[in-house]
Amino acid sequence: IVSTNLEKYKDSIEIIHSDVFDFNPNFLYKFITMGEVLEHVEDPRGVLKLIYSFLAHNGKAYISTCTNCPAIDHVYHFKTIDEIREMICSEGFRIDSEVIEPAECCSEEKLIKRKIDILYGAIISKG
């Protein structure tokens, strides 16, 4: 069913597999999705700067990442949700909506003490 619904969009969706630091778009995008990427790069601020430059005026992006999540493949460790918000906003984005979900249901103190993941997702806009 999903593929049938997506069939009508096949000419307007382009999937690009590229290193973001090597990517040089020929036009600006209205929407970019980037799930679970920022924690896997050494320079998440640099990635956000590039995403900002790839978006059209009033373009939007969906991003997700996590805090308090010391996994071996996580090169960059966000310690708090506020750290993520600050980084997003300092690169010129506006946070339109966000979802914050701990991986387990317990107090914030326990989440931090036990290093339990806190998942973060947001729709952000180019101001």
Side-chain angles (χ1 to χ4, degrees):
I1 295 172
V2 173
S3 61
T4 304
N5 291 336
L6 290 177
E7 186 67 23
K8 65 183 174 183
Y9 299 109
K10 71 178 182 180
D11 294 331
S12 63
I13 295 175
E14 180 182 7
I15 297 173
I16 301 166
H17 183 100
S18 174
D19 183 323
V20 71
F21 292 105
D22 295 332
F23 184 59
N24 188 11
N26 294 325
F27 55 88
L28 299 177
Y29 294 90
K30 292 180 185 177
F31 189 81
I32 295 173
T33 183
M34 186 175 61
E36 302 298 315
V37 172
L38 295 177
E39 69 274 17
H40 294 278
V41 296
E42 290 179 7
D43 184 13
R45 191 175 298 277
V47 171
L48 287 171
K49 285 179 185 182
L50 285 171
I51 296 304
Y52 189 91
S53 74
F54 298 160
L55 281 174
H57 179 70
N58 292 325
K60 294 185 181 286
Y62 166 77
I63 65 162
S64 65
T65 189
C66 57
T67 66
N68 209 22
C69 187
I72 194 162
D73 62 335
H74 290 182
V75 178
Y76 192 91
H77 296 270
F78 290 104
K79 292 173 185 61
T80 66
I81 296 298
D82 284 339
E83 182 184 357
I84 298 169
R85 289 180 181 133
E86 183 281 323
M87 186 179 290
I88 291 167
C89 294
S90 72
E91 295 310 322
F93 288 103
R94 177 181 64 242
I95 299 171
D96 295 334
S97 62
E98 59 185 10
V99 175
I100 301 163
E101 285 294 326
E104 294 181 25
C105 186
C106 57
S107 70
E108 186 175 347
E109 183 182 324
K110 267 190 179 174
L111 290 170
I112 293 167
K113 184 178 179 181
R114 293 177 46 208
K115 298 200 181 307
I116 297 170
D117 304 0
I118 302 171
L119 310 172
Y120 179 85
I123 300 292
I124 58 178
S125 295
K126 187 171 183 176

